[in-house]
Amino acid sequence: MATTRASRSRRTDSLTRERIIAAAVELLDAQGESGLTFRVLTQRLATGAGAIYWHVANKEELLTAATESVLVAALAREVGGSPEEEIRAVALGLFEAIDDHPWLATQLSTELARNPRGTVAPRIFDAVGRRVRALGVPERGWFTASSALVHYVLGAAGQNVANAGAADPGIDRSAFLDSVSAEWEALDADDFPFASAVAGQMRDHDDREQFLAGVDLVLAGITTVHLSGE
């Protein structure tokens, strides 16, 4: 009996908020948001629900904590060079984090839309905005320029994950793109002149290169609007 009590005490003492969040991230990676339940979490951590509720109040708080945990790691990567290079590094860090954790795209959008007072939204804007400021953008343009970059990064990364999820699990990326490209090429060129014309480019594109090219386009726009003539 004493041994059992001691064992339970050790499990309770070793249960930290960090362990709970790490387990939540693992469940989200494996099964998505629907797979993250307190019942499954208690089984994974070999503890009771009460012990988990001591550290997190509910699933919404746990999702926010898991989101911030992954976000902090993504933004912690070493960056250096010009402000443009740093923005590209931050953007790619977010892109890769969303690629590695597909559930993150929805959660980041949710945090920005429903919980802007939390720490997730300002953390993203600070990572981008400090570099926008370093570009020399005047203060009146900080928020607009940073918003354009943030929304492009999250939108493009989220769409990339959505496209991957829409593909048949039994078909690899190249085969999927080839089939979609073939369907676009078969479209009536009078009704879909642009889509049919770029079908071949879709087949051959690299997701990360295309993503970073988009970042460069946004940066070029920011530079043209805010820095020319300054």
Side-chain angles (χ1 to χ4, degrees), residues 38-214:
F38 275 65
R39 180 181 61 81
V40 175
L41 199 56
T42 57
Q43 294 172 349
R44 177 172 288 254
L45 293 169
T47 189
I52 294 177
Y53 282 117
W54 177 263
H55 295 280
V56 290
N58 49 48
K59 182 175 178 178
E60 181 179 351
E61 181 182 330
L62 184 55
L63 279 168
T64 297
T67 299
E68 181 150 20
S69 174
V70 174
L71 179 62
V72 167
L75 296 178
R77 62 191 296 169
E78 292 292 327
V79 297
S82 67
E84 291 90 346
E85 289 170 331
E86 291 191 1
I87 287 172
R88 284 168 59 92
V90 169
L92 189 58
L94 289 170
F95 180 91
E96 290 179 344
I98 292 172
D99 194 45
D100 291 339
H101 309 277
W103 55 272
L104 187 61
T106 299
Q107 292 308 316
L108 289 177
S109 296
T110 298
E111 287 292 323
L112 264 64
R114 300 181 186 175
N115 189 29
R117 293 183 182 87
T119 56
V120 169
R123 194 179 297 280
I124 295 172
F125 270 84
D126 199 67
V128 173
R130 284 185 288 117
R131 278 84 184 190
V132 166
R133 185 171 58 186
L135 285 171
V137 173
E139 185 173 356
R140 67 180 182 275
W142 287 354
F143 182 67
T144 299
S146 298
S147 294
L149 277 163
V150 168
H151 290 302
Y152 167 74
V153 168
L154 298 186
Q159 187 61 53
N160 181 66
V161 167
N163 289 344
D168 187 323
I171 301 178
D172 66 17
R173 177 184 179 278
S174 296
F176 173 71
L177 289 177
D178 188 66
S179 66
V180 175
S181 179
E183 291 181 13
W184 280 34
E185 286 174 333
L187 293 171
D188 189 316
D190 291 330
D191 293 332
F192 303 95
F194 181 79
S196 59
V198 298
Q201 296 178 31
M202 177 198 296
R203 177 183 288 113
D204 300 326
H205 84 276
D206 178 274
D207 292 331
R208 281 170 174 74
E209 288 181 4
Q210 184 186 57
F211 170 76
L212 289 173

